[in-house]
Amino acid sequence: MSETGQEEWQRTVAEWMERGELLHATLSQPRRRDDDTPPKTVVRPVAMKDGLHYQFESHYKAKVLHRNLKEEEASETLLSLLKGDYRQALIKTPQADVQLLFSKKGKAAVRRLAPTAKSSVPMEHNRKKRRVLEEGSPVPFLVELGIMTPEGRVHAKKQDKFRQINRFLEMVSDVLDDLPAGRELRIVDFGCGKSYLTFALYHLLAVELGRPISVVGLDLKADVIQFCSELAGKLGYDRLQFLVGDIAEYEGLTSADMVVTLHACDTATDAALAKAVGWGASVIMSVPCCQHELFGQVESEVLAPILSQGLLKERFAALATDAVRGQLLETLGYKVQMLEFVDPEHTPKNLLIRAVVSGRKELSLSKWQEYEAFKSFLGLSPALERMLPGAWPVSR
């Protein structure tokens, strides 16, 4: 780690952008805690009809905003954010990955790492969205699962599944910087089913990015687990293991870095979230399924127009369930986003809860108090709170 003067690092960053060598930048740890500064900003090059631009992706607590700026304006904007808004940045170039750490006085400590980015070719924008997995390039696990032909063409009836897999990998790619570096990553997929996304996750991290990982897929169906185990062996995915088991009873690990749970029914989602929290997972990605628990609990005279109609009550209870989960995860120090997983025209159950730990994880008394007020108003006793009895702060 070396310190450098302000002019030197600013000039270097500007030159990278001018030469088109800035492949990716992640800005984190805001200097101020306010609603105006996003907790994280990601910068990447995009090719547009009128030339090279840089996309600024601002990650707020409940939304993500995008701006596309030409090189000169993008350079000024990036330098301004680095000088005034953030204490840390990781910038990827073809020559090296560079970490910038800023002191309170604005001095930058610079650390150069081996490059991890593969290409300086920017992603196309608007005309054709570049996916993590591209049609036309055969991917072995997609071929084996019947999504692609051996030539790389996606079967017509599997286009929705192909888009879903890519959407999931995009969401994973957005939080790669929040996962630990320099050691093997431990990942668990609860309720993995036929494991389309489990194989996709392994392909992205181990095959494409070359990261050391171990992945466990868990499901109750023995025939499905046998199929997935045989396919993992055929593909040579030697750090991918499939087991028959129940989420709540699984005791095969004492820690995990990432926990995925897709369409776990009702409180099985809460059991998976509780496991993830107990393991200290840095990233949690959960797509809830049917949600019955709070339907029988929720009561409110004020909300009688909603709760007196069965269909409306069902939908409201499902939203309240996920709101509770998000609030409790934020109480525990996670940053939570509710994201649209697939197009709602394909399924109404398309919400994904993405929770990440960025920096130091601390209990939030204010989030807990908001949760208690919400719970009291609706008369709730949610499963996730009960499954983590010693985790919560004491309100005063």
Side-chain angles (χ1 to χ4, degrees):
M1 188 82 72
S2 62
E3 288 196 357
T4 181
Q6 288 188 4
E7 293 184 0
E8 182 179 345
W9 71 260
Q10 291 177 35
R11 182 170 59 251
T12 301
V13 172
E15 289 175 353
W16 283 334
M17 300 190 76
E18 184 179 356
R19 295 195 297 261
E21 294 180 353
L22 188 146
L23 307 180
H24 191 275
T26 302
L27 285 59
S28 58
Q29 295 189 20
R31 295 176 186 271
R32 302 177 302 277
R33 293 188 176 183
D34 55 42
D35 294 335
D36 295 329
T37 304
K40 180 173 74 172
T41 294
V42 176
V43 183
R44 57 173 65 89
V46 293
M48 302 183 71
K49 292 181 179 180
D50 56 344
L52 177 65
H53 286 61
Y54 287 88
Q55 182 179 87
F56 286 71
E57 186 176 83
S58 301
H59 291 250
Y60 292 89
K61 182 171 65 173
K63 61 184 178 180
V64 179
L65 301 179
H66 296 85
R67 290 185 296 164
N68 296 318
L69 306 178
K70 290 186 176 181
E71 180 267 319
E72 184 176 350
E73 184 180 1
S75 181
E76 293 176 357
T77 301
L78 177 57
L79 291 174
S80 176
L81 291 173
L82 290 172
K83 289 186 290 185
D85 290 359
Y86 291 95
R87 295 196 297 266
Q88 179 173 301
L90 178 63
I91 300 175
K92 299 184 179 184
T93 74
Q95 294 78 29
D97 289 1
V98 178
Q99 187 178 41
L100 297 175
L101 300 174
F102 296 94
S103 68
K104 292 182 179 180
K105 295 182 179 180
K107 291 184 177 181
V110 180
R111 182 184 182 190
R112 296 178 70 86
L113 309 168
T116 57
K118 292 185 175 181
S119 170
S120 61
V121 178
M123 294 172 62
E124 292 187 358
H125 187 73
N126 289 339
R127 287 172 290 175
K128 180 183 177 182
K129 182 176 181 180
R130 187 177 186 275
R131 291 168 168 167
V132 178
L133 302 176
E134 288 285 0
E135 185 168 5
S137 300
V139 180
F141 83 88
L142 292 178
V143 174
E144 293 293 337
L145 289 171
I147 294 175
M148 271 187 175
T149 67
E151 296 75 33
R153 179 177 59 83
V154 177
H155 293 290
K157 292 183 179 181
K158 296 295 184 178
Q159 288 288 344
D160 288 346
K161 178 62 70 174
F162 184 64
R163 283 192 291 270
Q164 182 193 63
I165 291 171
N166 266 292
R167 175 63 174 150
F168 175 72
L169 293 183
E170 289 168 5
M171 292 177 172
V172 171
S173 298
D174 286 341
V175 296
L176 288 180
D177 291 336
D178 295 297
L179 290 168
R183 63 168 174 79
E184 182 179 79
L185 294 175
R186 294 177 294 273
I187 300 172
V188 181
D189 184 353
F190 283 127
C192 59
K194 201 172 179 180
S195 300
Y196 292 97
L197 301 184
T198 322
F199 283 109
L201 185 61
Y202 191 95
H203 176 84
L204 172 66
L205 294 176
V207 179
E208 292 287 333
L209 299 179
R211 297 195 65 171
I213 64 172
S214 64
V215 182
V216 174
L218 194 74
D219 200 274
L220 290 171
K221 299 177 182 177
D223 57 336
V224 171
I225 290 300
Q226 181 178 351
F227 169 82
C228 292
S229 297
E230 292 173 354
L231 179 54
K234 183 176 182 179
L235 293 168
Y237 290 1
D238 56 353
R239 300 295 291 163
L240 175 55
Q241 179 184 20
F242 291 96
L243 302 172
V244 177
D246 180 80
I247 293 173
E249 298 176 0
Y250 179 67
E251 300 293 343
L253 292 174
T254 57
S255 65
D257 301 303
M258 181 177 183
V259 173
V260 178
T261 168
L262 303 173
H263 301 123
C265 187
D266 200 21
T267 57
T269 292
D270 300 290
L273 294 178
K275 287 285 188 182
V277 170
W279 287 333
S282 298
V283 174
I284 302 171
M285 302 188 73
S286 175
V287 178
C289 190
C290 50
Q291 307 192 57
H292 306 304
E293 183 200 24
L294 298 192
F295 181 87
Q297 296 183 17
V298 60
E299 293 181 1
S300 170
E301 292 183 4
V302 175
L303 297 177
I306 292 177
L307 303 183
S308 62
Q309 299 291 331
L311 179 60
L312 296 181
K313 182 180 180 181
E314 180 182 357
R315 293 181 179 178
F316 178 83
L319 291 173
T321 301
D322 289 327
V324 160
R325 290 165 174 160
Q327 191 74 10
L328 287 176
L329 289 172
E330 289 193 331
T331 296
L332 295 171
Y334 285 87
K335 295 181 180 179
V336 177
Q337 288 179 296
M338 303 288 176
L339 303 171
E340 188 174 86
F341 183 37
V342 293
D343 195 308
E345 72 179 64
H346 301 300
T347 173
K349 299 170 182 176
N350 69 334
L351 182 144
L352 182 142
I353 303 171
R354 185 171 69 188
V356 300
V357 175
S358 262
R360 185 178 178 184
K361 188 170 76 167
E362 297 178 341
L363 292 176
S364 172
L365 180 57
S366 63
K367 292 293 182 182
W368 174 252
Q369 291 171 337
E370 290 173 0
Y371 163 74
E372 286 195 309
F374 183 75
K375 178 181 71 170
S376 176
F377 176 69
L378 295 178
L380 306 179
S381 175
L384 183 56
E385 180 189 348
R386 300 195 306 272
M387 290 176 180
L388 294 168
W392 313 112
V394 178
S395 300
R396 298 185 186 280

